[in-house]
Amino acid sequence: MLIDALRDDFVFGSKGVKFMPYTTYLVEKGSSHSFVAEAKPPTVTMPRIKALMTGGLPGFIDVVRNLNSPALLEDNVITRAKAAGKRIIFYGDETWVKLFPKHFVEYDGTTSFFVSDYTEVDDNVTRHLDKVLKRRDWDVLILHYLGLDHIGHVSGPNSPLVGRKLSEMDSVLMKIHTSLLSEERETLLPNLLVLCGDHGMSEAGGHGASSVEEVNTALILISSAFERKPGDIRHPKYIQQTDLAATLSIGLGLPIPKSSIGSLIFPVVEGKPMREQLRFLHLNTVQLSKLLQENVPSYEKEPGFEQFKVSERLHGNWIRLYLEENNSEVLSNLGSKVRRQYLEALRTLSLSLSRQAAQYDIYSMAVGAVLVLEVLALLLPSLPRALTGKAELDVPLLSPASSLLFYLLLLALAALHVAVCTSTDSPCYLCSLPWLTAGGVLVLVSTLLCAVVSALAELLASGKRLRKNPPQSSSGWSGLDLLISLGTVGHALSLGASSFVEQEHQTWYFLVNTLCLALCHETYRHCFLGHDCARQRCPHAGEEFDWVAVAPQAKSTGPDVWELDRASKHPSPLEALRGPERWMVLVSPWVILTCCRLLRSLNQTGVQWAHRPDLGHWLTSSDHKAELSVLAAVSLIMIFVLVQKRCSLASKVAMAFGLLGIYCYRVAVGNLLFPWQQNNKGISKGITEARFVYVFVLGVLFTGTKDLLKSQIPATDFAVKTVGLWEIHSGFVLLAALLLRPHRLPVLVLGLAIQAVMARFVWTPLRHDAAQVAAMHYWFGQAFFYFQGNSNSIATVDISAGFVGLDAYAEVPAVLLTTLATYTGPVLWASHLLNFLTSEAGSGSALSHACFCYALICSLPVSAYIILVTSLRYHLFIWSVFSPKLLYEGMHLLITAAVCVFFTAMDQTNAKS
């Protein structure tokens, strides 16, 4: 009986005593052995099932495979049991059916990803129990209950629903146990009932990382064979989750799976005669020693292997003594010594194998790393051009592809590929590809390498020409350019340390705060030192991208819309500001700093301080639901105020009704209260209310798209295009407000406010170019990713957002909604960048420039990190720290690619206009 997300303290702590009395009785006084089983990251369901059944350590790629599990080909307990003629029945999470197709004589799978359902998903398992427990035509029965995990994702571990679900599971366990006891009275043969969890649950309700709450799970083995004397107190012992596979195999009389690194849970066989104990331990050590020989070339020097050989010799001596005389004190003492030696050998062998368990496809990884390095080498020379207004990356491909060097390289790589693929015994992804596909990869590697050589040669030649004929006037970098460059490079370098990855939010908070202080310094220089300083500060004067002067007027249509005066290019925009607006320019950096400090207090994130109380914890407690309701209502009103001014009348109406629907949805699911409500009665899934909001989201997006299409007509006013883009941005804001939890709505409000302040009082008055504006949008997007409460741990992904408004599991909408909810900050800041640059009618190639810089500033850290992770593949924290970060960076890169495609499309429409 596997209860998904059964944390150890749910059974052995105060919750277990209160809500699981029968289980507590079995733990304290019944015929049972209880353990705290430690799971290894990633703590998600499919890898944990693999670990339980194979005894091995799954790879991190299983996090992705968890979405659609392939059949398990490794040796495992289920396959061994089926081969031995065992009849297996399964009810529960359909992941088992996908992992073990055609293994069950009867099964009924339930969808595991529809986290809004925590009732029917368990009822569909329990409804089979009465019938199947009366039958005697099965050997193994597996039940996988998902409700507790779903409650954690939606409401967290402190929800009152957790207690009710634990009580329900306790009743199920009692029904199964009493049925087995009644059967044993007739057959006189003991059964084994295993109660376990696959992983735990973080304090936020998620899982996937390596915190204590996520890795420690309850494991109870219940059987009448485990005799307990009166007064025998058995405290839960700590074991590895992988130990269960070896224990079940020995208990069922099956061979231990070949890839298992687990040890026999010795208390299970402690009551057996010494001869059987030693036989079981010998079987386990032989299996581990064979696995060690396969994975470690110098296995004979391993301490565990030496201990195993000593144990075997002692065991042989014990057998000879046993055959001579059955009962003597010498025999008993020697048996105890052999047992201790075996247990020590098991512990050492298991530890050695767990360190060696990761097998890497070095050849494929090396080819991938070379490709990334080649692209990185092409991007780096373009960095100075990006910061000086030239959005150019000249990659000569035709000439290198026809050079002698290209053909020599291709021939050498093809020979290397054939040699590797014909000599290796381990599986290799690149070697498994069709020859045509693999040949295309080799052609790409050769072409890019020749292009890098050609680009570097051109760079050196141009450097020599510049030294011979130095330009009359050279423009240097501004202080802001240096800050952006050093901050981006410094952030990329910091990812080489696990602590900096775990606490990456601190890096971005520091960079954003430093950026605000730099902007404050720049603003005061402009305001108090005058126009001469502005000329010194702007080294890119004469570029094709110049900001236009600002002439604020009363008829302005929004907080960041201006009347553009193309004739006034040279005077500083600050000279056009008078009175309150000039003061707003001076205080705007401090306003932004204050907002960022408030956002830091709202959601604690990272690893070291994530457990500490914050405003979010205070607001989400049941005692402060009224305060949360007021805050959510005010936040929704502010969202409407900040986005509605630039929308058409139809979009304004849709936004108003949509935001009202969001409040109604949160009331329906029990997060908020109406003013006339005293408590939440009749809590529902809010499907109707959420779909009501989706209608208005689609309406706003449709209106914006219609305006964009209309703007392609030559005679159409340019304002139609800016309104259309802003309406699409507003549609994303409305969707984000629906998906974010109520206590995170202030993050959305303050994000919109900072965008408005910076657009009106920072970027235009200070005449920042497209590269600087794009870099600032990227930095703030990254900071807001963490302001939302996200981290580089998979446990902070809010899966429940993917099922808002869904009454059944639909993979594509669920993945898209979860991704948008997770990356709300970067997506909305990228969308605002597009709106801001498009609204500048005289910006020329600003969009292509910004697109290039945005892609560059995102690609450099990701490229460096891929190389870094490849080199750190044997690091202690490769699975718990570096691999989740790589997954996040991969998703962020996909989003950046989508943003750049949209930017390019808008740039093409600008060119046509």
Side-chain angles (χ1 to χ4, degrees):
M1 179 177 173
L2 192 154
I3 303 175
D4 213 294
L6 185 65
R7 218 162 73 175
D8 62 324
D9 60 330
F10 285 174
V11 178
F12 306 129
S14 57
K15 282 189 171 118
V17 174
K18 183 176 181 181
F19 299 111
M20 303 186 78
Y22 189 78
T23 307
T24 303
Y25 166 78
L26 290 176
V27 169
E28 294 178 351
K29 300 178 181 179
S31 300
S32 67
H33 290 289
S34 54
F35 307 93
V36 176
E38 182 185 349
K40 298 293 184 184
T43 48
V44 292
T45 297
M46 193 271 273
R48 294 302 95 221
I49 295 174
K50 286 178 66 174
L52 286 167
M53 293 297 104
T54 66
L57 295 178
F60 197 82
I61 192 64
D62 286 322
V63 172
V64 180
R65 291 177 180 164
N66 188 57
L67 300 172
N68 189 15
S69 307
L72 181 60
L73 302 178
E74 296 175 48
D75 193 12
N76 61 83
V77 177
I78 300 294
T79 302
R80 291 280 189 178
K82 182 178 182 295
K86 305 289 185 184
R87 293 158 297 177
I88 311 172
I89 295 177
F90 170 77
Y91 304 118
D93 184 355
E94 65 181 2
T95 304
W96 289 78
V97 182
K98 294 177 180 178
L99 285 173
F100 308 105
K102 300 180 181 179
H103 283 65
F104 306 119
V105 295
E106 182 181 320
Y107 64 86
D108 184 14
T110 56
T111 301
S112 58
F113 293 105
F114 186 50
V115 297
S116 299
D117 174 24
Y118 49 82
T119 305
E120 292 180 12
V121 72
D122 286 346
D123 291 343
N124 286 334
V125 177
T126 306
R127 65 191 175 95
H128 297 285
L129 275 182
D130 291 331
K131 178 182 65 175
V132 79
L133 289 174
K134 291 176 183 178
R135 292 157 40 185
R136 305 286 176 87
D137 61 345
W138 52 268
D139 301 296
V140 179
L141 173 64
I142 302 173
L143 308 172
H144 188 146
Y145 285 93
L146 289 161
L148 182 64
D149 177 67
H150 290 186
I151 290 171
H153 283 298
V154 174
S155 306
N158 299 316
S159 167
L161 296 172
V162 169
R164 279 179 249 168
K165 181 57 67 175
L166 292 175
S167 298
E168 179 189 338
M169 295 295 100
D170 192 55
S171 302
V172 172
L173 183 75
M174 183 170 65
K175 177 187 287 189
I176 297 171
H177 190 228
T178 52
S179 174
L180 293 178
L181 289 176
S182 64
E183 181 187 331
E184 287 177 10
R185 296 189 192 100
E186 300 176 13
T187 61
L188 302 179
L189 292 173
N191 293 292
L192 174 64
L193 173 58
V194 180
L195 174 69
C196 65
D198 54 346
H199 52 74
M201 183 189 300
S202 70
E203 287 302 315
H207 55 87
S210 55
S211 67
V212 174
E213 294 81 9
E214 293 168 79
V215 300
N216 285 350
T217 65
L219 173 63
I220 306 174
L221 305 179
I222 307 163
S223 175
S224 56
F226 305 146
E227 297 179 358
R228 177 181 282 191
K229 298 176 182 178
D232 182 8
I233 300 175
R234 299 175 180 174
H235 297 289
K237 299 176 182 178
Y238 283 81
I239 64 168
Q240 294 298 313
Q241 194 180 59
T242 49
D243 296 341
L244 185 63
T247 307
L248 289 179
S249 297
I250 289 174
L252 290 168
L254 303 171
I256 300 173
K258 294 178 181 178
S259 60
S260 171
I261 64 168
S263 305
L264 171 67
I265 302 174
F266 185 70
V268 174
V269 299
E270 204 167 10
K272 297 286 183 182
M274 180 64 73
R275 182 179 180 181
E276 290 191 37
Q277 291 183 31
L278 297 182
R279 183 169 66 87
F280 294 149
L281 292 170
H282 180 254
L283 288 172
N284 198 181
T285 48
V286 167
Q287 176 263 325
L288 289 179
S289 64
K290 287 182 178 178
L291 188 62
L292 186 73
Q293 293 177 42
E294 294 172 2
N295 288 276
V296 182
S298 58
Y299 64 91
E300 293 178 347
K301 298 179 182 179
E302 289 287 328
F305 189 80
E306 294 174 356
Q307 291 172 349
F308 161 64
K309 286 301 181 182
V310 173
S311 304
E312 270 197 327
R313 285 195 298 270
L314 289 174
H315 192 185
N317 295 336
W318 183 90
I319 290 175
R320 281 192 293 272
L321 190 62
Y322 174 80
L323 293 175
E324 293 173 2
E325 47 180 324
N326 278 336
N327 296 306
S328 72
E329 188 176 347
V330 176
L331 183 68
S332 176
N333 291 338
L334 182 58
S336 299
K337 182 179 180 181
V338 176
R339 184 175 60 193
R340 285 196 303 272
Q341 190 69 34
Y342 267 131
L343 290 172
E344 183 64 25
L346 278 176
R347 187 187 67 80
T348 310
L349 283 169
S350 180
L351 186 61
S352 299
L353 285 167
S354 64
R355 292 171 179 167
Q356 301 288 337
Q359 295 183 357
Y360 296 103
D361 181 0
I362 300 297
Y363 177 54
S364 301
M365 290 173 69
V367 173
V370 167
L371 276 170
V372 173
L373 277 173
E374 289 173 342
V375 175
L376 191 61
L378 288 171
L379 285 174
L380 284 175
S382 64
L383 185 61
R385 292 186 179 185
L387 291 173
T388 55
K390 296 183 183 295
E392 297 173 0
L393 177 58
D394 186 15
V395 183
L397 290 178
L398 275 180
S399 54
S402 59
S403 65
L404 178 62
L405 177 63
F406 167 75
Y407 293 108
L408 290 175
L409 279 171
L410 183 59
L411 188 62
L413 289 175
L416 177 65
H417 181 73
V418 172
V420 170
C421 294
T422 53
S423 62
T424 183
D425 295 326
S426 57
C428 175
Y429 173 74
L430 199 57
C431 293
S432 66
L433 292 175
W435 279 100
L436 192 61
T437 308
V441 173
L442 298 180
V443 168
L444 179 61
V445 172
S446 304
T447 305
L448 286 177
L449 190 56
C450 292
V452 169
V453 172
S454 178
L456 291 177
E458 177 64 28
L459 193 64
L460 290 173
S462 62
K464 289 180 180 178
R465 287 195 297 269
L466 283 175
R467 282 195 296 271
K468 291 180 179 178
N469 301 304
Q472 296 298 322
S473 61
S474 61
S475 59
W477 282 8
S478 69
L480 194 61
D481 290 336
L482 287 172
L483 173 62
I484 290 170
S485 301
L486 292 176
T488 303
V489 173
H491 164 253
L493 294 176
S494 73
L495 298 179
S498 59
S499 298
F500 276 90
V501 175
E502 290 177 332
Q503 305 297 121
E504 189 186 357
H505 61 287
Q506 301 284 8
T507 303
W508 285 113
Y509 295 165
F510 171 78
L511 289 176
V512 166
N513 290 344
T514 308
L515 176 63
C516 290
L517 292 175
L519 291 174
C520 180
H521 174 255
E522 192 175 23
T523 302
Y524 289 175
R525 285 180 61 202
H526 275 69
C527 287
F528 299 121
L529 298 183
H531 185 54
D532 291 336
C533 177
R535 282 200 299 268
Q536 293 173 11
R537 174 246 166 257
C538 190
H540 314 319
E543 296 173 4
E544 73 277 3
F545 178 68
D546 288 304
W547 291 107
V548 290
V550 182
Q553 297 186 11
K555 63 179 181 178
S556 175
T557 56
D560 52 354
V561 177
W562 310 270
E563 290 295 322
L564 303 175
D565 179 10
R566 298 193 182 192
S568 179
K569 276 190 175 183
H570 298 292
S572 171
L574 282 172
E575 297 176 3
L577 297 174
R578 294 291 182 268
E581 294 200 355
R582 189 178 181 86
W583 283 108
M584 276 302 300
V585 171
L586 294 174
V587 301
S588 57
W590 300 103
V591 172
I592 297 165
L593 271 173
T594 305
C595 292
C596 291
R597 187 63 190 86
L598 289 173
L599 288 169
R600 288 182 63 174
S601 303
L602 186 62
N603 294 302
Q604 289 281 4
T605 185
V607 175
Q608 296 182 13
W609 298 287
H611 63 282
R612 292 189 178 181
D614 52 32
L615 287 176
H617 284 96
W618 186 83
L619 288 167
T620 52
S621 66
S622 56
D623 298 332
H624 303 109
K625 192 168 287 187
E627 290 87 344
L628 178 61
S629 301
V630 172
L631 180 64
V634 172
S635 298
L636 293 172
I637 292 171
M638 288 302 300
I639 290 171
F640 179 75
V641 171
L642 287 167
V643 302
Q644 56 86 28
K645 287 188 177 180
R646 293 178 62 182
C647 294
S648 62
L649 180 61
S651 295
K652 290 180 182 179
V653 173
M655 282 290 296
F657 279 105
L659 293 169
L660 180 62
I662 291 171
Y663 192 91
C664 295
Y665 164 73
R666 289 299 172 183
V667 171
V669 298
N671 297 137
L672 304 176
L673 296 170
F674 282 126
W676 55 86
Q677 268 186 309
Q678 296 300 319
N679 50 35
N680 291 106
K681 294 182 179 179
I683 294 176
S684 69
K685 296 177 182 176
I687 293 174
T688 303
E689 293 84 352
R691 290 179 175 176
F692 177 79
V693 178
Y694 283 135
V695 170
F696 291 110
V697 170
L698 292 174
V700 175
L701 292 175
F702 174 78
T703 305
T705 306
K706 183 192 68 175
D707 288 340
L708 278 182
L709 294 175
K710 189 189 295 183
S711 67
Q712 300 305 304
I713 302 173
T716 308
D717 186 9
F718 180 77
V720 174
K721 181 176 182 178
T722 59
V723 170
L725 279 173
W726 184 259
E727 286 174 333
I728 292 177
H729 177 70
S730 303
F732 283 126
V733 170
L734 183 60
L735 182 57
L738 174 64
L739 300 180
L740 292 178
R741 301 204 179 206
H743 71 281
R744 292 175 179 168
L745 287 174
V747 178
L748 191 56
V749 173
L750 291 178
L752 294 171
I754 290 173
Q755 289 173 355
V757 169
M758 294 194 76
R760 185 173 180 94
F761 300 111
V762 176
W763 292 321
T764 300
L766 297 180
R767 295 168 60 176
H768 291 129
D769 61 30
Q772 294 168 336
V773 173
M776 285 188 243
H777 274 84
Y778 175 79
W779 279 24
F780 273 97
Q782 291 294 96
F784 270 84
F785 174 81
Y786 295 103
F787 285 145
Q788 288 175 231
N790 293 321
S791 71
N792 288 324
S793 164
I794 300 174
T796 53
V797 176
D798 185 9
I799 296 179
S800 64
F803 301 93
V804 173
L806 302 182
D807 57 0
Y809 177 64
E811 185 173 343
V812 174
V815 170
L816 289 176
L817 292 175
T818 303
T819 303
L820 180 62
T822 305
Y823 291 93
T824 294
V827 168
L828 290 184
W829 277 89
S831 174
H832 185 270
L833 174 62
L834 178 62
N835 273 274
F836 178 74
L837 295 178
T838 306
S839 66
E840 296 298 323
S843 61
S845 61
L847 276 179
S848 62
H849 189 188
C851 172
F852 180 82
C853 296
Y854 196 88
L856 183 64
I857 204 171
C858 177
S859 301
L860 288 175
V862 176
S863 303
Y865 192 68
I866 289 172
I867 305 299
L868 187 68
V869 171
T870 304
S871 62
L872 293 175
R873 59 187 178 276
Y874 292 113
H875 194 281
L876 179 62
F877 301 125
I878 184 64
W879 302 121
S880 58
V881 177
F882 293 107
S883 295
K885 172 61 180 173
L886 188 61
L887 191 64
Y888 275 110
E889 289 293 343
M891 285 300 300
H892 190 211
L893 202 58
L894 288 176
I895 292 172
T896 303
V899 168
C900 291
V901 167
F902 195 54
F903 270 43
T904 306
M906 294 309 302
D907 189 43
Q908 293 299 320
T909 59
N910 280 353
K912 291 177 182 177
S913 301

